[in-house]
Amino acid sequence: MTDALTYPDVVSFAVPFFIAAIFAELFWIRMTGRGGRYETRDTVTSLIMGAGNVAAGIALGFVAWGFFMVLWNLTPLDLGASIPIVVLCFVLDDLRYYWVHRFGHRIRWVWASHVNHHSSQHYNLSTALRQTWTYTFTFMMVVRAPLILLGFHPAMVLFCGGLNLIYQFWIHTEAIGKMPKWFEAVMNTPSHHRVHHGRNPRYLDANYAGVFIVWDKMFGSFVPEDPQEKPDYGLVHNIGTFNPIRVAFHEWVGIWRDIRQPGLSLKQRLLYAVAPPGWSHDGSRETSDQIKTRATKRG
Amino acid sequence: MPLHLLVPLVVGGIFAIMIATVLMGMNKPRRFETDKEAVYAWSREYPRASVLQTSLAANKSAALIRSEEGLGLVWAIGADSTARFLAGAVVSQTVTGLTLELPDYAAPGVQLELEPDEARDWAAQIGEIG
């Protein structure tokens, strides 16, 4: 059994590249007058969220790592660390990412962690770094369990997850229109991911892919970018704060307030935590499905 | 990457990017040039709440919206906008206008710069429903 496998922490090594790329995008927008928008406080908030995500990983990473090592010690399988196995791990971990991301939009408990990534009304490279501080509390690390049990070493799985995150950085831009057709067909691209960040009814809950857009095509969640309908970025109800603490925790607070409402049944309290975002016991709010239906009826 | 390198890199990077955006003039706040623009921004948040009346602030940073579903506010946040209904809002007068405390963790309050007459009028309207 490969116990002492180690890989570089690719995300921290990518930090200088992230900073340089943001500068490049800023100068491109400034010089050409197109390719997106930046706003100072929005950008700083996004960057602080990114730094907080790294800090949360350092502080709470032991939880997922401990869980993975328990599984690793349980499984009799060990696929080793050859290049083909790393490539296979990367592809399967991207499938894992697709489902975690989909859960992140369809289960409010997971959305509470992921919502902050969508809380900017801008779409630029700094938005890519607007990451969660509370992922550990979603318990979505369990979705990686099959990979570990199949014999992929936990260090390799986390390494592939880091590469996945780095890939997703460059697609958070309006400076790139479309990539070549073959690339758009297989890979997640700025165009596909702009759709994912759109709050337009037709773009809600679409394009969950991390690296390979084929998962969305396979599982029926792919929506192409319509040149006639520019994505309107942000949340269905946009937040009114740049305070990173509020950005990080606002949906958790929302869940807490909702489940404590007087007069609810136990089932209703539970549904406020696990039903799709926008669900309410009295129908006073709208889920993304209801928003889409209303928009379709309106034509 | 060791923390003694990562921390200064991250802090320095954030600071440098912040300065660059300021120098490039990317810190200008949103302004609603017309009532129509304010209503459009309101409708982004509440497409089902038909607008009956709009009062755009003199400095164009916010608008009081009277809709079929109640009184609301749309306001500039950075280069963008957001909106909320004002039920449960606590309003207090300041030297430069009004402060609104909202019962919403994701939008906890708004500082409104208003003309003195405007501030009195808005405070009276918001006070009625607060």
Side-chain angles (χ1 to χ4, degrees):
Chain A
M1 209 132 274
T2 324
D3 275 335
L5 202 57
T6 57
Y7 288 91
D9 178 8
V10 284
V11 175
S12 69
F13 281 109
V15 169
F17 160 72
F18 292 157
I19 295 169
I22 288 172
F23 270 108
E25 189 183 42
L26 270 171
F27 285 116
W28 171 260
I29 292 169
R30 179 69 176 164
M31 283 190 308
T32 64
R34 58 191 173 85
R37 301 184 304 134
Y38 271 85
E39 196 273 333
T40 303
R41 286 191 292 168
D42 174 85
T43 303
V44 170
T45 301
S46 293
L47 298 177
I48 290 173
M49 295 309 295
N53 172 266
V54 174
I58 292 169
L60 297 170
F62 72 94
V63 177
W65 181 253
F67 173 64
F68 294 154
M69 288 314 289
V70 167
L71 297 176
W72 182 245
N73 288 321
L74 283 175
T75 184
L77 305 176
D78 183 353
L79 294 172
S82 63
I83 298 294
I85 291 300
V86 176
V87 171
L88 181 62
C89 182
F90 181 81
V91 173
L92 292 178
D93 188 62
D94 192 51
L95 173 60
R96 182 277 316 172
Y97 177 87
Y98 171 88
W99 281 105
V100 167
H101 196 188
R102 189 164 176 161
F103 296 152
H105 282 261
R106 302 298 297 166
I107 301 168
R108 193 181 179 195
W109 186 266
V110 192
W111 173 244
S113 161
H114 184 58
V115 61
N116 76 74
H117 181 61
H118 289 269
S119 63
S120 172
Q121 296 185 51
H122 294 247
Y123 188 76
N124 56 47
L125 292 175
S126 78
T127 314
L129 304 180
R130 188 178 275 235
Q131 292 288 334
T132 177
W133 297 359
T134 56
Y135 181 75
T136 301
F137 305 115
T138 66
F139 310 116
M140 282 294 104
M141 71 278 273
V142 299
V143 185
R144 272 192 166 129
L147 284 173
I148 313 290
L149 293 172
L150 279 171
F152 294 99
H153 191 281
M156 186 194 297
V157 172
L158 293 181
F159 172 67
C160 291
L163 293 178
N164 194 308
L165 198 69
I166 291 169
Y167 178 87
Q168 291 187 51
F169 174 74
W170 77 279
I171 62 178
H172 289 83
T173 185
E174 292 185 286
I176 296 170
K178 290 261 190 185
M179 300 297 289
K181 267 191 174 175
W182 68 268
F183 197 86
E184 293 280 345
V186 180
M187 305 298 287
N188 198 7
T189 63
S191 173
H192 298 326
H193 205 59
R194 283 193 290 270
V195 165
H196 177 69
H197 276 257
R199 59 194 285 287
N200 322 42
R202 65 178 304 193
Y203 291 158
L204 292 174
D205 293 342
N207 298 3
Y208 298 115
V211 174
F212 302 112
I213 198 68
V214 291
W215 307 126
D216 283 286
K217 293 178 178 179
M218 280 173 64
F219 299 118
S221 51
F222 177 68
V223 175
E225 187 179 29
D226 181 349
Q228 306 302 319
E229 187 169 347
K230 192 180 180 306
D232 178 16
Y233 304 112
L235 298 170
V236 169
H237 285 296
N238 285 299
I239 59 172
T241 179
F242 291 114
N243 180 335
I245 304 287
R246 290 185 186 273
V247 173
F249 296 105
H250 70 92
E251 191 67 19
W252 294 108
V253 171
I255 291 175
W256 177 243
R257 286 182 178 174
D258 285 338
I259 62 175
R260 285 172 60 240
Q261 291 178 79
L264 298 184
S265 68
L266 190 61
K267 183 183 174 186
Q268 287 170 330
R269 291 181 204 283
L270 185 67
L271 284 174
Y272 267 116
V274 300
W279 179 89
S280 58
H281 72 287
D282 56 2
S284 59
R285 305 175 197 172
E286 284 185 304
T287 64
S288 55
D289 289 338
Q290 291 166 328
I291 293 169
K292 285 176 171 191
T293 304
R294 177 167 52 76
T296 307
K297 278 181 187 163
R298 205 173 46 195
Chain B
M1 185 179 288
L3 276 180
H4 70 273
L5 290 178
L6 185 62
V7 172
L9 188 64
V10 168
V11 173
I14 292 174
F15 189 70
I17 291 167
M18 182 185 77
I19 296 296
T21 60
V22 172
L23 292 176
M24 291 179 188
M26 294 168 170
N27 59 338
K28 292 191 177 71
R30 165 91 186 260
R31 290 291 177 257
F32 307 109
E33 292 305 326
T34 60
D35 283 10
K36 197 177 167 187
E37 216 176 284
V39 169
Y40 177 76
W42 168 264
S43 302
R44 276 183 78 221
E45 304 295 325
Y46 298 106
R48 289 188 295 175
S50 301
V51 175
L52 303 173
Q53 192 187 340
T54 311
S55 309
L56 183 59
N59 72 356
K60 302 177 188 299
S61 66
L64 207 53
I65 302 282
R66 195 167 287 281
S67 78
E68 284 177 350
E69 293 184 21
L71 192 66
L73 182 80
V74 59
W75 73 97
I77 171 148
D80 305 286
S81 64
T82 193
R84 292 292 186 274
F85 282 105
L86 293 177
V90 176
V91 59
S92 52
Q93 294 225 339
T94 64
V95 179
T96 54
L98 297 177
T99 295
L100 294 185
E101 289 173 46
L102 304 175
D104 186 333
Y105 187 80
V110 195
Q111 302 275 350
L112 297 169
E113 289 185 18
L114 301 169
E115 302 290 334
D117 289 350
E118 202 173 36
R120 274 192 294 276
D121 177 39
W122 283 33
Q125 291 191 57
I126 297 165
E128 285 170 18
I129 54 116

